[in-house]
Amino acid sequence: MSRQVKGLPSSSPGTVAVLTALITEGAQSRADLARSTGLTSAAVTKVVNPLTTAGYLREVGPTGTGGLGRPASRVEVVGDAAFVVGLKVTGSEVLGVLVDLSGHVRGVASQELETHEVEHVLDVIVEVTEKLCADPEHASRLRHVGIGISGGVDDTGLVSYSHFLGWHGVRLAPLVHGRLGLPVAVDNDVRALTAGERWFGAGVGRTSFAVVTVGAGIGCALSYQGQLLAGVHGVSGELGHLPVAGDRPCHCGGHGCLDTVATTPSLLRDVEAVTGAPVATLEDAVALAADDERVAEVFRDAGHALGRGIASVVNLFGPQSVVLTGEGLVALDVIRESMRAGYVEQAYGQAIHAELIVRPLPFEAWAHGAATLALQAFLHGGER
């Protein structure tokens, strides 16, 4: 699938600012672009004209007036001018979305993983990408690939560790680039999801917010003044490994990690322990909690620990809001009160007023977050 990739006419800060504003806010007049980006009118024109000539932008009909009765034409992104692919790699599948330059999803595809061997995962990544780009027009305009994966990922695309895949030291970005011949951005899956929320979701218009995900693991990422915070070594936001849960051993080698009581696997394990019977899904465990006080107590303990963990996030970083999401939200009704109690118990001072946004998201949103990373990398990449 290797190909020559055509970039933007420029990757100047002005170009990035204008395209970002148009992608995240929609069509605007040049005067509005100047106001929203802080550029001068002349600088906006210097950016818009070559992008229009290259087919990335177009003028659209006026709405209202621009000044004393003069119609103000607007500029918008040409969605079909370029495409990116976003991929979410889990322990069981690769889920991908095809996203146009406007940020709209144009296709969804997935394929199960038979093994976690690196070569097999690479094969599936390529196959899902090819499914998404079966249309020759999409394939010819594919500009970048973004991948979200659990675990530690540094800015070179090195996956230092992924528990769900059993990977250590896998240089995923260059490996995928070698197979696809395209620029590749790889990041932790929760940071990727947070990038999507910052541009297209609950983070729009917020100066700072955190995303906390609950499910097979517990993750966290923070957006501060428009920037995702990432650790120097590719590890940050590991809320699941905050020691707030007694002395239970964790797969990470530590003890008392939040992961040991509040993830889906840990909840199922604890419910099975008190009932003496296997429980297949989290939904089944939630149903048992309605009639079995022992099961309800398992969920209360998990909710309390999760609330303390969220409080630690707001104590440390002071975000305007915390977005709570993930497949673990199916248990929200049975953990809500204890989660709130744990939060109130641990939150310090005014941090208690951080807004909690409960936001159920389809799994495709994680792949769309990876596509957002790809869009951002494309804007900053210029010619390739």
Side-chain angles (χ1 to χ4, degrees):
M1 197 174 177
S2 180
R3 62 173 62 81
Q4 183 72 29
V5 179
K6 181 180 179 182
L8 297 166
S10 166
S11 58
S12 68
T15 298
V16 173
V18 167
L19 282 172
T20 299
L22 292 173
I23 291 170
T24 59
E25 300 171 26
Q28 299 178 52
S29 70
R30 297 184 186 220
D32 288 338
L33 277 172
R35 284 190 288 270
S36 64
T37 63
L39 298 172
T40 66
S41 297
V44 168
T45 296
K46 186 177 179 180
V47 167
V48 167
N49 286 351
L51 286 173
T52 302
T53 300
Y56 289 103
L57 300 181
R58 64 185 165 212
E59 301 277 353
V60 292
T63 59
T65 59
L68 298 176
R70 181 181 176 183
S73 64
R74 296 173 300 152
V75 179
E76 72 175 7
V77 170
V78 179
D80 287 342
F83 296 90
V84 298
V85 162
L87 302 164
K88 165 74 163 97
V89 180
T90 75
S92 60
E93 69 171 352
V94 175
L95 173 67
V97 293
L98 179 71
V99 172
D100 66 22
L101 190 58
S102 299
H104 297 134
V105 175
R106 304 289 288 271
V108 180
S110 65
Q111 186 166 322
E112 292 185 358
L113 291 174
E114 297 176 4
T115 77
H116 294 159
E117 294 294 328
V118 174
E119 285 301 317
H120 174 67
V121 176
L122 288 172
D123 288 342
V124 174
I125 285 173
V126 172
E127 290 167 16
V128 171
T129 302
E130 289 177 342
K131 285 181 186 178
L132 290 167
C133 297
D135 185 325
E137 288 297 313
H138 295 160
S140 67
R141 297 173 188 170
L142 183 60
R143 298 293 185 254
H144 216 109
V145 174
I147 302 173
I149 190 167
S150 67
V153 184
D154 71 14
D155 58 7
T156 71
L158 169 70
V159 182
S160 58
Y161 171 63
S162 177
H163 169 65
F164 294 119
L165 295 173
W167 284 5
H168 295 267
V170 176
R171 297 193 175 278
L172 187 59
L175 287 172
V176 176
H177 172 72
R179 297 287 292 272
L180 293 176
L182 288 161
V184 178
V186 180
D187 207 339
N188 171 268
D189 55 355
V190 182
R191 286 199 295 269
L193 179 65
T194 304
E197 288 295 285
R198 179 161 63 88
W199 268 26
F200 303 111
V204 173
R206 288 181 165 85
T207 56
S208 68
F209 70 100
V211 171
V212 172
T213 60
V214 291
I218 295 176
C220 178
L222 183 73
S223 175
Y224 181 72
Q225 293 186 346
Q227 298 296 318
L228 283 177
L229 298 189
V232 172
H233 303 292
V235 177
S236 65
E238 290 292 342
L239 181 60
H241 298 287
L242 195 70
V244 295
D247 196 42
R248 285 186 173 186
C250 180
H251 66 80
C252 72
H255 289 78
C257 296
L258 182 56
D259 263 12
T260 64
V261 295
T263 63
T264 298
S266 64
L267 283 163
L268 294 181
R269 177 202 63 211
D270 290 348
V271 170
E272 289 179 358
V274 298
T275 62
V279 182
T281 68
L282 187 59
E283 289 87 348
D284 291 341
V286 170
L288 289 172
D291 300 313
D292 191 323
E293 178 60 24
R294 299 168 302 169
V295 175
E297 183 67 17
V298 168
F299 280 102
R300 283 195 291 270
D301 289 346
H304 188 267
L306 180 60
R308 293 182 65 200
I310 294 172
S312 296
V313 173
V314 299
N315 288 346
L316 284 169
F317 301 109
Q320 183 179 352
S321 56
V322 176
V323 178
L324 183 64
T325 190
E327 64 270 26
L329 286 185
V330 298
L332 183 64
D333 285 346
V334 292
I335 68 170
R336 190 190 304 270
E337 288 187 11
S338 62
M339 181 177 71
R340 179 64 184 173
Y343 178 79
V344 170
E345 173 187 302
Q346 195 72 23
Y348 179 76
Q350 294 302 304
I352 200 171
H353 298 299
E355 178 186 16
L356 179 63
I357 302 170
V358 177
R359 184 165 159 78
L361 291 169
F363 214 47
E364 287 82 358
W366 295 73
H368 191 268
T372 305
L373 294 178
L375 280 173
Q376 293 169 350
F378 173 58
L379 298 194
H380 284 87
E383 293 285 358
R384 292 184 181 272

